[in-house]
Amino acid sequence: MAALPTTKHNLSKETIKSGVTDMLRTAYRKTIATATPQQIYNALALTIKEHVSANWLATHEHFDKADVKTVYYLSMEFLMGRFMGNAILNMSLTNTAQEALEELGIDLNMIEEAEHDPGLGNGGLGRLAACFLDSLSTMGYPAYGAGIRYHYGIFEQHIEDGHQVEKPDNWLHYGDPWGVRREEYAKEIKFGGRVNAIKDDAGEYRFVLEGYQCVLAVPHDYPVVGYNTNMVNTLRLWDAEPVNRFDLQSFNEGQYERAQEEQNLARTLTAVLYPADEFLAGKELRLRQQYFFISATIQRVVEQFAHKHNHDFSKLPQYVQFQLNDTHPSLAIAELMRILIDGYFMPWDEAWEITRATCAYTNHTIMSEALEKWPIELFSRLLPRIYMIVEEINRRFCQNLIQWYGNDPERIRNMAICADGQVRMAHLAIVGSHSINGVAEIHTNILKEVELKDFYEIYPDKFNNKTNGITQRRWLAKCNPKLSTLITNAIGDGWVTDLNQLSKLKPLSSDAAFADEFMTVKQANKIALSNHIYREHGITVDPSSIFDIQAKRLHEYKRQLMNIFYVIDLYNTLKLNPSLDTQPRTFLFAAKASASYRRAKLIIKLINSVADLVNNDPAMDGRMKVLFLPNYRVSMAEKLVPAADVSQQISTAGKEASGTGNMKFMLNGAITLGTLDGANVEIMEEVGRDNIFIFGMTAQEVQALTNTGTYAPWDLYNMDYDIRNILTTLINGTLDNNHDLFRELYEAMLNGYGGTRPDEYYVLKDFAAYKAAQEDISTAYKDKNRWAEMAIHNTACAGKFSSDRTIRQYASEIWNIEPVVRV
Ligand code: 26Q
């Protein structure tokens, strides 16, 4: 395969300086002295983008010439985090940029902080997509990310009187320096209407949509700069625009209302990201969003392929792979069928074979609430031709089932794509893909053995595991420069592109001098976080206390409730026994709750009420502090991760598909306090049982207990003094004046409330084990040498969790794609 042309990153200090000053003058009529940090940020970003653009162009010219196989990562979410610092790091421009700005009298860090953190995702699934793009570029795989250019990202979380309040996140407000609008590739997307069947000359039926609504999908391209490579991939985010700014024809035909409708559709379609994760909000607009970016992407890919390969679509799977990030993009299967059949008159069987060989599906959850199902009424009204195709896929699939199993109506109803008045997107994704993967060993096993058992039986070869990973460029090199430098001084910088090299640190975990330096870095990071917290919230935290962090979306299965219960327990204990010798702790929480998830929001209020109680009690000074840090996002994670001593990964076993925060914390030398769930299991395998705090029921035990239906939290209440005391604190006025605010949580634990089973996520069941593990941690922390050894060992064992490893496995085991040669 032809090599990528060499284009060196030769941006000089002087070029950066003149670029910034010129840009400030042209764009804002400002000088360095008078420009705002935002303006300087934009000027610097544009300067760097201009430089990136040369490589970006060259990369795509090369792709075109060499006719490379390309992977399209289809995702409703890309949680990219700030662009600029990452681009600077990956292009090895950190020193140059720092010096250039210094000579202009500006601090680069301050300018980096001026970049709005684009929140085009909810949590793990969106951030995984971003890590994958970084790895794809760094390792030289031709790839596109394809998604939606939401005008408003995940809401800004404010805390008012302890409650979560959502405010719009207008990330485009100060401009969009990294995006390139590419009108020339715009595509029309059709909704609604009627399908007309017309017989063609050969007597074949052709299906034509009439009376539809139409919007224009316009791509905005963002560069994905890899580390130390001249290859630049593309994140293509589609934005909606009216087909005709003012539809004269419709106006003249008296269809003014239709034109108005289309204007409104365009405005609302890409307005907001749905702020729900693992929590179904089955709204029409979401289905529209899905079809919008899928249809645009597939249309463009097929058109480009047809042009290049002379319409020989049998080769499509050899050149194109679509990876579906959960079921959200699974309309891709039906849309590809539609285009091949209606657009290129391909027979069904041929189109089906090509489609299946081109699509692959990743499952990210076993929470049944998150499984996407659409009412047939809605689906067929909004996407009538797509529905016909889905129906036909379903009909043929059910026919096969009858062949394989005989007439077993129960089984067929369970496995069908269309049943009970709904379209089940997971079933469509499974049937229409050549690969189905889970995101950690235990998760994939649960899919095979429980959740998707029936499908595994008929398609055993399609199922495979791809344990998640994270990019060490953002999650160590960028966010923790002090630790990076220490590691590089010890073992060289090979780890930046080969994380397994961290294992060279293993012997150093018992080296006193290295351990000292390692813990000095940790301490410095804790001080930096403390200073940040003081600046933002006026609260002082003690950097010598244990920094115990749980940062992730708020969900009952993640059990933030268990964490805050332990805080209440510790408070109760210290009140009763003030002279108790405990290790000072700072409990840090950060989490957004889905806007419509009432109980999750109540848990946030509870955390804040407990924080008020504890932090305002002078008896707790120097003993414990509790903080809820508002508006968790990628840029906040970058501050928390380097400063953590303890990483809380405490989901009910069997519920967290993988988790990726667990990997970020471990990489930065935090010790995991966790259940045997998701990737925690594999973290334990890597670090060994002595370097992690594991507690609680296993997934099998949870499954078994759930199946017996005998779990009775009242027994625990009656037998366990701690539990009784904690639950009483919820309702006795200690935390709120009206006594009833947290009654729902009390009821949910003991009796079930609002349709949930009593203590559905086994918080009380696992509590004693959790408390014991927390006490083990306090004891362990006292032995500074042992703790340092554990911390270093965790970093040293993080090699497996690089997204580079994950992507290499996707590339060889699912996509069958080779990297472009690097020069
Ligand atoms: C579905 C329907 C309607 C509206 C929203 C949704 C929706 C949106 C987002 C459903 C799920 C999500 C996000 C899921 C997610 O982030 N899952 C996480 O994926 C990570 C990456 O694989 C795993 O590490 C986590 O364990 C998993 O929870």
Side-chain angles (χ1 to χ4, degrees):
M1 182 179 291
L4 259 181
T6 314
T7 316
K8 286 280 175 248
H9 297 306
N10 56 356
L11 193 55
S12 72
K13 191 170 71 180
E14 292 309 320
T15 316
I16 294 180
K17 283 164 69 177
S18 59
V20 171
T21 43
D22 291 355
M23 213 67 88
L24 282 176
R25 193 173 48 247
T26 323
Y28 303 111
R29 209 204 62 185
K30 281 281 177 77
T31 63
I32 280 284
T34 57
T36 66
Q38 250 97 26
Q39 291 171 332
I40 299 173
Y41 159 71
N42 273 331
L44 180 56
L46 288 168
T47 304
I48 293 169
K49 195 227 264 171
E50 182 177 270
H51 183 71
V52 166
S53 296
N55 284 337
W56 202 5
L57 251 168
T59 299
H60 283 83
E61 276 169 10
H62 174 72
F63 286 178
D64 191 47
K65 250 199 272 138
D67 200 13
V68 296
K69 182 169 186 174
T70 307
V71 50
Y72 294 82
Y73 199 79
L74 309 182
S75 179
M76 292 280 279
E77 308 190 9
F78 286 93
L79 210 42
M80 299 295 283
R82 290 177 176 145
F83 275 85
M84 193 176 68
N86 197 244
I88 291 176
L89 172 89
N90 280 0
M91 291 157 69
S92 306
L93 284 173
T94 308
N95 292 335
T96 316
Q98 235 155 25
E99 285 165 22
L101 289 209
E102 221 167 87
E103 289 180 18
L104 295 172
I106 301 159
D107 173 20
L108 176 61
N109 284 330
M110 198 254 285
I111 299 307
E112 284 187 14
E113 288 286 321
E115 177 175 358
H116 193 105
D117 182 350
L120 307 186
N122 276 286
L125 164 150
R127 182 54 229 176
L128 185 75
C131 284
F132 280 3
L133 293 185
D134 184 75
S135 288
L136 284 161
S137 286
T138 297
M139 297 192 297
Y141 293 105
Y144 278 82
I148 297 174
R149 186 172 182 264
Y150 303 105
H151 294 198
Y152 291 86
I154 182 85
F155 60 85
E156 260 179 30
Q157 181 193 51
H158 292 241
I159 299 297
E160 292 175 11
D161 187 28
H163 291 281
Q164 168 174 303
V165 176
E166 302 92 18
K167 305 259 163 85
D169 166 44
N170 189 355
W171 72 287
L172 292 168
H173 184 81
Y174 289 105
D176 183 19
W178 299 99
V180 184
R181 181 171 173 276
R182 312 196 70 184
E183 198 173 9
E184 66 273 30
Y185 299 122
K187 291 276 165 279
E188 287 189 358
I189 313 296
K190 298 170 182 174
F191 295 103
R194 295 166 305 278
V195 180
N196 218 346
I198 300 165
K199 242 192 190 139
D200 69 7
D201 298 341
E204 297 277 346
Y205 277 109
R206 299 286 159 215
F207 298 96
V208 186
L209 202 60
E210 289 172 350
Y212 50 83
Q213 270 184 329
C214 196
V215 289
L216 204 59
V218 182
H220 291 239
D221 285 353
Y222 297 79
V224 182
V225 181
Y227 180 85
N228 195 19
T229 166
N230 43 45
M231 177 163 166
V232 181
N233 277 319
T234 303
L235 170 60
R236 174 162 285 180
L237 300 180
W238 296 92
D239 206 345
E241 295 181 19
V243 176
N244 299 300
R245 271 174 202 296
F246 188 76
D247 187 344
L248 259 187
Q249 200 187 346
S250 301
F251 189 79
N252 291 339
E253 287 167 2
Q255 294 186 353
Y256 179 68
E257 275 176 17
R258 150 89 41 86
Q260 276 295 311
E261 263 176 31
E262 290 188 346
Q263 299 258 345
N264 289 337
L265 176 59
R267 205 168 310 115
T268 49
L269 200 55
T270 52
V272 294
L273 164 82
Y274 272 91
D277 70 320
E278 325 251 348
F279 191 76
L280 190 69
K283 295 281 155 49
E284 175 169 334
L285 182 59
R286 180 154 169 108
L287 187 58
R288 280 188 194 265
Q289 288 182 335
Q290 294 182 344
Y291 186 64
F292 169 75
F293 94 99
I294 287 302
S295 177
T297 304
I298 310 274
Q299 283 188 54
R300 172 65 195 145
V301 170
V302 172
E303 162 191 87
Q304 199 178 13
F305 181 89
H307 177 73
K308 248 196 121 62
H309 294 268
N310 208 10
H311 292 125
D312 183 2
F313 291 110
S314 67
K315 291 209 194 98
L316 188 74
Q318 289 167 46
Y319 285 91
V320 171
Q321 287 288 304
F322 293 121
Q323 189 67 36
L324 315 187
N325 201 19
D326 215 296
T327 55
H328 318 158
S330 48
L331 287 172
I333 291 159
E335 177 68 359
L336 182 53
M337 290 294 287
R338 182 188 71 82
I339 293 173
L340 294 176
I341 294 170
D342 295 357
Y344 295 93
F345 308 126
M346 191 181 283
W348 180 279
D349 289 322
E350 207 178 320
W352 183 238
E353 199 181 309
I354 291 168
T355 297
R356 288 231 285 193
T358 308
C359 297
Y361 158 57
T362 306
N363 178 291
H364 294 268
T365 185
I366 35 198
M367 300 292 294
S368 54
E369 301 97 297
L371 287 182
E372 287 195 299
K373 292 171 191 150
W374 297 104
I376 285 177
E377 182 279 320
L378 163 67
F379 195 105
S380 59
R381 175 165 50 78
L382 198 63
L383 307 169
R385 178 61 184 141
I386 292 293
Y387 180 67
M388 285 174 69
I389 290 168
V390 170
E391 228 182 8
E392 180 63 11
I393 295 173
N394 179 54
R395 193 186 63 79
R396 288 166 180 248
F397 175 61
C398 291
Q399 220 164 43
N400 288 339
L401 287 177
I402 292 173
Q403 266 172 22
W404 293 325
Y405 290 119
N407 195 6
D408 180 348
E410 162 106 358
R411 182 172 214 128
I412 290 168
R413 181 142 34 79
N414 287 338
M415 297 181 75
I417 297 164
C418 306
D420 304 329
Q422 293 180 314
V423 182
R424 300 160 174 171
M425 302 305 266
H427 296 195
L428 175 63
I430 293 166
V431 174
S433 296
H434 66 89
S435 163
I436 299 137
N437 76 281
V439 291
E441 291 288 353
I442 184 179
H443 169 59
T444 301
N445 288 335
I446 293 174
L447 293 179
K448 289 182 188 173
E449 288 157 20
V450 188
E451 229 60 35
L452 303 177
K453 188 168 186 286
D454 290 343
F455 289 98
Y456 179 57
E457 245 174 71
I458 53 174
Y459 306 128
D461 298 338
K462 283 200 202 181
F463 282 72
N464 64 95
N465 176 249
K466 295 288 167 283
T467 298
N468 282 166
I470 57 169
T471 167
Q472 65 266 34
R473 268 79 61 185
R474 184 176 293 266
W475 296 111
L476 181 53
K478 178 78 189 85
C479 76
N480 199 344
K482 291 194 172 76
L483 186 57
S484 281
T485 305
L486 178 66
I487 293 172
T488 295
N489 288 342
I491 62 167
D493 66 359
W495 60 271
V496 181
T497 48
D498 176 11
L499 200 63
N500 284 322
Q501 292 192 24
L502 287 183
S503 66
K504 294 183 198 161
L505 292 171
K506 279 182 194 168
L508 291 171
S509 70
S510 49
D511 175 320
F514 186 79
D516 202 50
E517 288 183 276
F518 193 97
M519 294 319 282
T520 305
V521 166
K522 180 62 79 181
Q523 194 58 22
N525 291 334
K526 289 167 74 176
I527 290 170
L529 178 60
S530 307
N531 292 340
H532 174 79
I533 290 173
Y534 184 74
R535 274 198 310 275
E536 295 282 308
H537 307 288
I539 299 175
T540 50
V541 300
D542 172 10
S544 67
S545 63
I546 300 175
F547 276 25
D548 173 328
I549 305 187
Q550 188 175 18
K552 49 179 78 252
R553 283 299 285 249
L554 200 314
H555 200 293
E556 287 166 279
Y557 84 78
K558 296 179 189 282
R559 299 199 293 191
Q560 281 94 352
L561 197 54
M562 189 163 70
N563 187 352
I564 199 67
F565 279 3
Y566 175 68
V567 175
I568 294 172
D569 183 84
L570 184 61
Y571 176 78
N572 288 342
T573 307
L574 287 174
K575 288 302 271 185
L576 272 174
N577 194 351
S579 61
L580 196 78
D581 177 30
T582 58
Q583 198 61 37
R585 274 239 202 185
T586 303
F587 295 92
L588 292 158
F589 292 84
K592 284 177 182 172
S594 176
S596 57
Y597 191 172
R598 265 196 36 258
R599 188 167 298 166
K601 292 169 106 173
L602 187 57
I603 294 170
I604 290 178
K605 170 64 178 168
L606 175 64
I607 295 169
N608 281 303
S609 297
V610 173
D612 280 345
L613 176 72
V614 171
N615 301 345
N616 292 315
D617 186 336
M620 296 300 126
D621 274 359
R623 318 222 57 183
M624 63 187 294
K625 262 255 147 97
V626 185
L627 266 93
F628 185 94
L629 300 172
N631 205 28
Y632 184 53
R633 59 199 185 284
V634 173
S635 51
M636 185 191 290
E638 289 174 71
K639 298 182 172 78
L640 296 180
V641 162
D645 294 307
V646 175
S647 155
Q648 294 226 31
Q649 309 299 338
I650 58 178
S651 52
T652 312
K655 297 291 181 198
E656 188 70 273
S658 163
T660 44
N662 45 4
M663 302 169 185
K664 294 162 197 165
F665 283 105
M666 153 198 216
L667 177 62
N668 285 270
I671 320 295
T672 303
L673 165 57
T675 47
L676 283 176
D677 199 15
N680 297 353
V681 176
E682 288 157 78
I683 290 177
M684 184 183 78
E685 283 166 11
E686 295 301 301
V687 302
R689 187 65 185 77
D690 293 341
N691 295 295
I692 185 167
F693 293 88
I694 294 291
F695 70 94
M697 286 193 289
T698 62
Q700 281 97 337
E701 287 166 346
V702 168
Q703 192 66 256
L705 184 57
T706 306
N707 289 342
T708 62
T710 57
Y711 176 49
W714 269 113
D715 294 344
L716 290 169
Y717 179 92
N718 290 324
M719 286 179 326
D720 187 325
Y721 169 83
D722 295 340
I723 285 175
R724 204 155 58 240
N725 210 0
I726 294 162
L727 290 181
T728 305
T729 307
L730 293 182
I731 53 164
N732 69 3
T734 311
L735 294 169
D736 70 313
N737 297 326
N738 75 25
H739 296 218
D740 276 336
L741 188 52
F742 301 117
R743 185 168 289 278
E744 171 176 344
L745 297 175
Y746 178 93
E747 289 295 330
M749 288 292 109
L750 293 173
N751 300 321
Y753 185 92
T756 58
R757 279 183 283 122
D759 190 14
E760 191 152 0
Y761 296 100
Y762 302 106
V763 170
L764 303 182
K765 180 76 186 168
D766 271 345
F767 185 75
Y770 177 63
K771 178 174 170 171
Q774 280 287 28
E775 289 170 354
D776 288 347
I777 284 175
S778 291
T779 309
Y781 195 75
K782 286 185 192 154
D783 184 346
K784 295 287 170 222
N785 295 333
R786 171 71 190 118
W787 189 273
E789 192 184 339
M790 273 201 290
I792 296 165
H793 189 73
N794 267 267
T795 300
C797 293
K800 174 175 180 183
F801 303 106
S802 170
S803 47
D804 297 346
R805 185 267 311 151
T806 314
I807 284 299
R808 220 175 278 118
Q809 291 178 331
Y810 275 89
S812 72
E813 296 163 24
I814 299 178
W815 304 326
N816 189 24
I817 185 182
E818 296 286 337
V820 161
V821 177
R822 288 169 72 171
V823 283

